[in-house]
């Protein structure tokens, strides 16, 4: 069969990838329709339309020969493709998305469609508790199965996060925020990982990366996987899942579900909030006041009080 070429990727996809990767993405964006068409032909799929979402890939809806809808995803970065597929393979059967086909030469995969439509269905209630249970489920699978070939949290922290925090600290005019930021930076060398909590981390737990099936059960998609202390994922979810809203409630739920004490999650929350604050300041992001409030609350909090 000859697959349909969907033509140019949507303007939103183009804008997001160029914002994220810079001009280097231009050539790949021109090639993406051909990559999707080649994968569809290889797997006997019929391409239907683009789904304009994500910051690292081009996504399309397709159907199998029996009419079953699937998601076809093409990654700009081959390394990110390999890491994501490796993590999804470890989590197979868990609260994530199933990999149906994968083409290493194209950096394209066919994934199961969740919730009957791109973007999934909606939650039906108890969202915070349900998502926390899904995170715990992924972590349990990550401990039970062989570790995938993905970066370590230690490497990511030491070689990526801390250097960019320090670079921005010295390069930005933070005005009255400088003292608080310097205080937060003083904690970075003290971050420690518990070897008993090592697992495969999702490491990108924004709300947009949690979708729901028809039963209202969450599926965690689009990971940026690492291997490290589960406390990192709980902190990321606490800080960024719904920025500024219900942060204390998520932290309490994270500690209850994971049995990781609040004082051991909070330092990662402060580090992640600090990293985000400096990034949002640098790009003048509209969400800067929100992350500033989160950072301030964690710097003023008493970890023993559960805040």
């Amino acid at each position: 069969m000859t697959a349909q070429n969907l033509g140019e990727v949507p303007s939103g996809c183009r804008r997001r990838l160029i914002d994220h990767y810079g001009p280097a993405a231009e050539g790949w964006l021109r090639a993406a329709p051909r990559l999707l068409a080649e994968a569809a032909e290889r797997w006997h799929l019929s391409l239907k339309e683009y789904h304009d979402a994500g910051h690292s890939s081009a996504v399309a809806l397709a159907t199998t020969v029996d009419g079953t809808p699937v998601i076809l995803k093409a990654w700009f970065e081959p390394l990110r493709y390999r890491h994501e597929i490796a993590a999804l393979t470890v989590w197979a059967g868990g609260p994530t998305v199933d990999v149906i086909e994968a083409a290493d030469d194209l950096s394209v995969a066919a994934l199961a469609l969740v919730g009957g439509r791109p973007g999934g269905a909606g939650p039906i209630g108890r969202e915070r508790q349900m998502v926390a249970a899904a995170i715990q489920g992924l972590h349990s699978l990550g401990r039970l199965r062989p570790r995938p070939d993905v970066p370590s949290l230690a490497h990511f922290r030491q070689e990526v996060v801390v250097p960019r925090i320090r670079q921005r600290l010295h390069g930005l005019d933070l005005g009255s925020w400088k003292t608080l930021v310097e205080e937060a930076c003083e904690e970075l060398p003290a971050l420690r990982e518990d070897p008993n909590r090592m697992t495969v981390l999702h490491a990108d737990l924004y709300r947009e990366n949690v979708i729901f099936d028809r039963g209202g059960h969450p599926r965690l998609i689009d990971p940026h996987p690492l291997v490290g202390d589960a406390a990192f994922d709980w902190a990321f979810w606490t800080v960024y899942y719904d920025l500024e809203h219900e942060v204390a409630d998520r932290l309490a739920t994270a500690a209850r579900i994971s049995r990781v004490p609040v004082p051991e999650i909070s330092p990662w929350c402060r580090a992640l909030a600090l990293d985000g604050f400096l990034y949002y300041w640098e790009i003048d992001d509209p969400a800067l006041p929100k992350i500033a409030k989160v950072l301030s609350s964690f710097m003023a909090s008493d970890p023993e009080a559960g805040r």
Side-chain angles (χ1 to χ4, degrees):
M1 65 180 289
T2 301
Q4 175 189 0
N5 187 312
L6 295 178
E8 291 185 358
V9 301
S11 59
C13 173
R14 176 177 296 278
R15 182 184 65 254
R16 289 190 300 275
L17 264 76
I18 292 174
D19 286 347
H20 190 69
Y21 292 111
E26 287 278 10
W28 182 88
L29 287 163
R30 289 192 293 270
R34 175 186 57 79
L35 298 173
L36 291 168
E38 186 172 340
E41 184 173 8
R42 185 179 301 182
W43 300 325
H44 306 291
L45 304 175
S46 296
L47 287 169
K48 298 302 179 183
E49 60 186 359
Y50 284 112
H51 175 52
D52 193 3
H55 294 80
S56 63
S57 60
V59 180
L61 181 66
T63 54
T64 64
V65 291
D66 66 0
T68 302
V70 298
I71 288 292
L72 210 57
K73 182 174 179 180
W75 284 258
F76 170 75
E77 288 184 275
L79 186 61
R80 181 155 184 175
Y81 155 82
R82 291 197 295 273
H83 290 163
E84 188 166 332
I85 296 300
L88 293 176
T89 301
V90 167
W91 296 327
T96 184
V97 61
D98 294 328
V99 180
I100 300 169
E101 300 279 3
D104 293 351
D105 59 322
L106 304 175
S107 297
V108 177
L111 308 172
L113 183 68
V114 174
R117 60 183 178 84
I124 59 175
R126 293 176 56 83
E127 180 178 347
R128 185 173 70 252
Q129 294 82 356
M130 296 281 281
V131 174
I135 297 169
Q136 182 73 353
L138 286 194
H139 289 172
S140 296
L141 288 173
R143 294 187 188 99
L144 292 172
R145 296 175 179 172
R147 299 274 167 82
D149 183 17
V150 302
S152 70
L153 173 59
H155 179 273
F156 178 65
R157 176 174 62 87
Q158 295 165 5
E159 302 300 326
V160 179
V161 177
V162 172
R164 74 188 178 198
I165 285 175
R166 297 201 183 283
Q167 180 181 15
R168 286 168 176 154
L169 171 62
H170 296 299
L172 297 174
D173 181 5
L174 298 172
S176 61
W177 283 93
K178 187 172 183 179
T179 300
L180 182 71
V181 168
E182 289 177 336
E183 181 183 345
C185 283
E186 290 175 1
E187 285 195 7
L188 295 176
L191 287 171
R192 294 290 183 270
E193 295 186 64
D194 186 333
N196 296 316
R197 295 197 297 254
M198 302 298 280
T199 188
V200 183
L201 305 172
H202 184 285
D204 213 26
L205 287 166
Y206 296 101
R207 195 172 205 159
E208 66 197 48
N209 290 337
V210 179
I211 61 177
F212 296 84
D213 63 22
R214 287 185 171 121
H217 301 102
R219 303 292 187 94
L220 312 183
I221 65 168
D222 295 347
H224 208 318
L226 303 167
V227 170
D229 190 331
F232 179 87
D233 261 357
W234 292 113
F236 198 112
W237 179 65
T238 295
V239 172
Y240 287 109
Y241 185 73
D242 189 3
L243 191 59
E244 189 189 5
H245 298 109
E246 299 185 335
V247 173
D249 291 335
R250 278 196 301 280
L251 180 57
T253 300
R256 179 173 58 82
I257 296 294
S258 68
R259 298 187 178 180
V260 179
V262 164
E264 296 183 31
I265 300 174
S266 293
W268 291 99
C269 290
R270 287 190 283 273
L272 284 163
L274 171 63
D275 190 28
F277 171 81
L278 291 171
Y279 173 64
Y280 290 171
W281 186 290
E282 182 177 57
I283 67 171
D284 195 23
D285 193 284
L288 178 62
K290 293 183 178 182
I291 192 66
K293 184 176 180 180
V294 172
L295 176 61
S296 296
S297 70
F298 274 110
M299 293 305 297
S301 68
D302 174 7
E304 298 294 339
R307 289 188 51 90

